[in-house]
C-alpha cells in the first residue's frame, strides 16, 4: 500500500526521493516524509496529504545530502497526521525508519520499550522498529536491524538510516515487497520498480528475511540465518515511458487502451505445434494435470471476478468442478483440498497478503498451487508450484483494467490446457476456441475505436446516486466487475446480481433514479435477460444494455445500448467488460473524481 524509496549516491537525495515517491503515488497514501543525512544532522521532513505538500516544504527548507529515505503512508495504525507520518525516529534522533506492512506484536513491544525508558511519540506500529534498532545498535547498523527484525511478528519492508553511519541504508523485508535498483555509483531501495527506472533497469529482489546493506558503492545481503547470500537479479524490459501517461489524460485511460497489447502478449507463444497448448511453466506433466479432479480459485476484488469467469471456462471446457473463494475467507474456512486439487491464486501484484495466505494454506494441505500474476519475481511466484504471467506491463491506475482482461486471457489458456489434458474437448473445438481467443485483441480495438455512445450515456447518468448491474452466466462476473469499477472511481453506489435473482429482493430498489446496466450479449439466456429488462422497465428504471452488434431488438427495451462485436458466449467476458470500464471512467471524470487515485484505495494490498 505505502511507498518506500531510499537513495545512496552522488545526487541530491531529496530530488531522487521525491521523484521516486511520485512514481509510487498510485499505491495510495495520506501523508509523506523524508529523512536525509545532512552534514552532522538527520533532517526529517513530514507532511499530511499529497506529495506536493512535502515538495513545497522541502523547497522552503532545503536539505542537502546524498543519502536518505522517503515514504508515502496509508494509515493502518493511528490517524493520518504529521506525528504518525513516516519516517519515524528513535530517542536520540539519529535513527530513522520507514516501513510498509503491519507489526502485529507492536503493542507488546511498545510496553517493553516504554519500560526501558524509551519515549514513543506516535500511535504507529512502525515507531517501535526505530527504538528496537536503537536498543540493539552497537556500532553496526545492519546487525542492529537484523536483531530488531527477529523480534517482529507480521509483515514489513524496512529502510533504515543512522547518523553515525551516514553513507548507509539498511533494508529488510518479510511478506512485503522491496527491491534495490543497482546503478553505477548509486543504489536505490524501493517498494516497487517504477521508482528506480529513471536510474537503472537492473533490479535486485530481496527475499523474506533478507537484510541488505546499501551504499553508493555496492550492496551486501545476509539471509534470515545471518549468512551472506547473493539475491536474484532481474533486468526490467519496460522503461520509464511505460510507467508514464504517454499522452493520455490519465493512467486509467491509457491502460484501458493498452488492453489489446496486454492480451496479445499474454497469449503469445501459448499455441504450440500440433495444436498443443504450451504451459510448461506450470511444472506439471499432462498426466498430473489430467489427475486433477477439483479446482479452487482464490483471489480478491477484480481478480476474484476474473476467477468467476474462469469457473465458467474450466467447468464448461474441462468438466472439472470449480469453487471460487475470496482469499480472505479461504484460509479461515477449513477448505477441503488435497493432492488432486488445483488451487489457482490470482493476484495482479503478486504481493496481495490475503491471497498469499491462501497459497500457504493450500500448499500445507497438499494441493498444487498455480499463480496468475503480472509481476515477475513477486512473492506469489516463489510460493507457488507454477505461474502464468499476464504480460500487461506496469499498471499504475489503482482501478485494475488491463490486468483484468489479461487475467481472463491467461485463465482461458489454462482452461484450454486442462480440457486438452482431460480429453474433454475435441482437437477441432480447441483450435476453434483458440482462434477466437487470439482475435480478442481486435475485438477490443474495435470497441475502443468508437466510444461516443459511452460518453453520451455517461453524461446522462453522471449524477446518479445508486445503480444496479445485472447479467446471466458469464455476464454475472462482468456485471460484478462493472459495478466495482463504477463504485471505486466515481463513488456512485453500485450492486451486481445474477439477473434471475433480481426478483428476490433487489427489485425493491428500482426507481426512475436508479439506472440498471444489463449484460445482454447474444447467448442461450438472451431471451431471459430481455425479460429481466422488461421487469425493471415496468417499474420505471432506465436501462443501459451491453449488446451485440446487429441486435436491433434490444434497442426497443433499453434507453441506451453499448454495442460490442459478436463473439461466442463463453468468450464474451472481455468484450462486454470494456464498455463498462469506459462508462465508469467517463462518469467519474464528469464528476471531477481522481480516476487514478480513488479515495481510500491502494493499488497493492499488502496487509490483511
Amino acid at each position: 500500500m505505502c511507498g518506500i524509496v531510499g537513495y545512496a549516491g552522488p545526487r541530491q537525495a531529496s530530488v531522487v526521493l521525491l521523484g521516486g515517491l511520485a512514481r509510487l503515488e498510485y499505491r495510495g497514501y495520506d501523508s509523506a516524509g523524508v529523512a536525509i543525512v545532512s552534514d552532522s544532522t538527520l533532517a526529517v521532513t513530514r507532511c499530511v496529504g499529497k506529495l506536493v505538500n512535502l515538495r513545497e516544504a522541502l523547497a522552503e527548507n532545503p536539505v542537502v545530502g546524498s543519502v536518505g529515505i522517503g515514504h508515502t503512508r496509508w494509515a493502518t495504525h493511528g490517524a493520518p497526521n504529521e506525528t504518525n507520518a513516516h519516517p519515524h525516529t528513535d530517542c536520540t534522533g539519529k535513527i530513522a525508519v520507514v516501513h510498509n506492512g503491519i507489526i502485529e506484536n507492536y503493542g507488546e513491544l511498545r510496553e517493553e520499550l516504554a519500560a526501558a525508558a524509551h519515549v514513543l511519540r506516535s500511535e504507529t506500529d512502525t515507531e517501535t522498529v526505530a527504538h528496537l534498532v536503537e536498543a540493539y545498535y552497537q556500532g553496526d547498523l545492519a546487525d542492529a536491524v537484523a536483531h530488531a527484525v527477529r523480534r517482529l511478528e507480521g509483515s514489513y519492508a524496512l529502510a533504515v538510516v543512522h547518523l553515525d553511519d551516514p553513507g548507509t541504508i539498511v533494508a529488510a523485508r518479510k511478506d512485503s515487497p522491496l527491491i534495490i535498483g543497482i546503478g553505477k555509483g548509486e543504489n536505490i531501495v524501493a517498494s516497487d520498480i517504477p521508482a528506480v527506472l529513471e536510474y537503472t533497469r537492473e533490479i535486485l529482489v530481496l527475499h523474506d528475511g533478507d537484510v541488505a546493506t546499501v551504499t553508493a558503492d555496492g550492496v551486501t545481503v545476509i539471509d534470515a540465518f545471518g549468512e551472506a547470500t547473493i539475491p536474484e537479479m532481474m533486468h526490467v524490459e519496460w522503461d520509464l515511458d511505460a510507467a508514464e501517461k504517454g499522452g493520455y489524460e490519465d493512467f486509467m485511460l491509457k491502460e484501458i487502451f493498452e488492453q489489446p497489447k496486454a492480451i496479445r502478449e499474454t497469449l503469445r507463444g501459448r499455441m504450440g505445434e500440433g495444436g498443443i497448448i504450451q504451459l510448461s511453466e506450470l511444472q506439471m506433466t499432462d498426466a498430473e494435470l489430467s489427475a486433477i479432479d477439483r479446482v479452487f480459485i482464490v483471489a480478491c476484488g477484480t481478480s476474484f471476478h476474473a476467477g468467476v469467469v474462469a469457473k465458467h471456462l474450466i467447468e464448461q471446457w474441462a468438466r472439472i468442478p470449480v469453487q471460487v473463494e475470496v482469499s480472505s475467507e479461504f484460509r479461515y474456512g477449513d477448505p477441503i483440498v488435497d493432492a488432486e486439487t488445483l488451487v489457482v491464486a490470482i493476484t495482479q501484484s503478486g504481493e496481495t497478503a490475503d491471497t498469499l495466505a491462501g497459497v500457504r494454506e493450500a500448499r500445507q494441505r497438499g494441493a498444487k498451487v498455480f499463480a496468475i500474476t503480472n509481476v515477475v519475481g513477486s512473492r506469489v511466484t516463489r510460493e507457488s508450484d507454477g505461474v502464468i504471467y499476464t504480460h500487461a506491463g506496469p499498471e499504475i491506475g489503482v482501478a485494475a483494467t488491463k490486468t483484468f482482461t489479461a487475467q481472463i486471457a491467461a485463465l482461458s489458456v489454462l482452461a484450454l490446457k486442462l480440457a486438452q489434458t482431460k480429453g474433454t474437448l475435441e482437437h477441432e473445438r480447441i483450435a476453434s476456441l483458440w482462434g477466437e481467443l487470439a482475435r480478442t485483441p481486435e475485438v477490443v480495438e474495435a470497441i475502443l475505436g468508437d466510444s461516443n455512445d459511452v460518453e453520451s450515456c455517461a453524461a446522462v447518468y453522471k449524477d446518479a446516486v445508486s445503480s444496479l448491474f445485472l447479467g446471466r452466466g458469464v455476464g454475472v462476473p462482468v456485471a460484478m466487475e462493472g459495478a466495482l469499477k463504477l463504485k471505486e472511481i466515481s463513488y456512485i453506489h453500485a450492486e451486481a446480481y445474477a439477473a434471475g435473482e433480481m426478483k428476490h429482493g433487489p427489485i425493491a430498489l428500482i426507481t426512475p433514479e436508479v439506472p440498471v446496466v444489463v449484460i445482454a450479449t447474444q447467448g442461450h439466456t438472451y431471451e431471459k435477460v430481455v425479460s429481466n429488462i422488461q421487469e425493471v422497465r415496468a417499474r420505471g428504471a432506465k436501462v443501459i444494455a451491453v449488446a451485440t452488434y446487429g441486435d436491433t431488438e434490444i434497442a426497443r427495451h433499453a434507453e441506451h445500448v453499448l454495442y460490442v462485436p459478436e463473439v461466442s458466449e463463453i468468450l464474451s467476458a472481455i468484450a462486454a467488460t470494456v464498455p463498462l470500464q469506459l462508462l465508469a471512467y467517463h462518469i467519474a471524470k464528469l464528476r471531477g473524481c481522481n480516476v487514478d487515485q480513488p479515495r481510500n484505495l491502494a493499488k497493492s494490498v499488502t496487509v490483511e
Side-chain angles (χ1 to χ4, degrees), residues 33-354:
V34 297
I36 297 171
V37 180
S38 177
D39 296 327
S40 59
T41 63
L42 181 63
V44 177
T45 307
R46 303 182 296 186
C47 293
V48 175
K50 294 297 182 182
L51 199 60
V52 64
N53 298 336
L54 179 61
R55 194 181 299 276
E56 290 173 353
L58 288 169
E60 292 177 9
N61 297 287
V63 179
V64 177
S66 59
V67 174
I69 54 177
H71 191 265
T72 50
R73 176 181 186 250
W74 189 81
T76 56
H77 292 76
N81 56 39
E82 186 174 332
T83 301
N84 290 329
H86 298 212
H88 288 286
T89 56
D90 70 324
C91 296
T92 68
K94 291 185 174 183
I95 297 170
V97 175
V98 293
H99 164 230
N100 291 351
I102 291 179
I103 307 304
E104 295 174 355
N105 61 331
Y106 88 105
E108 171 191 332
L109 293 173
R110 284 181 71 96
E111 291 181 5
E112 175 186 320
L113 290 162
H118 288 265
V119 178
L120 285 83
R121 297 173 289 275
S122 75
E123 304 169 271
T124 70
D125 54 340
T126 301
E127 191 183 358
T128 59
V129 180
H131 291 274
L132 278 176
V133 174
E134 176 191 1
Y136 286 113
Y137 185 72
Q138 298 291 327
D140 186 330
L141 183 58
D143 183 69
V145 172
H147 278 84
V149 297
R150 293 185 191 120
R151 301 290 312 282
L152 305 181
E153 296 175 10
S155 61
Y156 58 80
L158 298 166
V160 186
V161 292
H162 196 304
L163 185 60
D164 291 346
D165 195 353
T168 299
I169 300 169
V170 174
R173 72 156 282 177
K174 177 179 177 291
D175 293 336
S176 194
L178 200 64
I179 58 98
I180 302 171
I182 306 300
K184 295 180 180 179
E186 60 186 355
N187 293 298
I188 309 170
V189 178
S191 50
D192 207 351
I193 292 171
V196 310
L197 284 186
E198 184 176 351
Y199 307 101
T200 182
R201 293 193 199 178
E202 304 306 318
I203 305 298
L204 183 154
V205 181
L206 294 181
H207 292 172
D208 275 0
D210 284 351
V211 176
T213 302
V214 182
T215 67
D217 298 325
V219 177
T220 59
V221 183
I222 59 172
D223 62 20
F225 304 100
E227 300 295 326
T229 183
I230 301 176
E232 63 183 291
M233 292 288 297
M234 61 180 288
H235 177 77
V236 178
E237 297 293 340
W238 43 273
D239 57 21
L240 188 57
D241 288 341
E244 301 293 348
K245 294 179 183 178
Y248 289 90
E249 187 173 352
D250 314 276
F251 283 116
M252 183 179 180
L253 187 62
K254 173 178 179 281
E255 289 153 8
I256 288 173
F257 275 81
E258 287 176 338
Q259 289 179 111
K261 179 181 179 182
I263 296 166
R264 282 192 186 97
E265 292 299 319
T266 298
L267 296 177
R268 189 184 303 279
R270 295 305 186 184
M271 177 57 79
E273 293 184 8
I276 303 300
I277 302 296
Q278 300 297 313
L279 283 175
S280 59
E281 61 268 53
L282 294 184
Q283 307 294 320
M284 288 182 72
T285 66
D286 284 357
E288 289 172 323
L289 285 171
S290 181
I292 291 169
D293 61 13
R294 189 178 187 190
V295 175
F296 265 95
I297 297 175
V298 292
C300 306
T302 286
S303 296
F304 175 83
H305 302 156
V308 181
V309 173
K311 172 182 171 69
H312 289 271
L313 301 175
I314 294 170
E315 289 187 340
Q316 288 195 35
W317 294 346
R319 309 307 296 165
I320 304 172
V322 179
Q323 188 168 338
V324 188
E325 293 277 354
V326 175
S327 301
S328 55
E329 294 298 316
F330 176 78
R331 68 179 297 206
Y332 297 112
D334 196 17
I336 302 172
V337 300
D338 55 27
E340 280 70 51
T341 304
L342 172 63
V343 175
V344 180
I346 313 173
T347 161
Q348 176 274 139
S349 67
E351 303 285 351
T352 308
D354 290 320

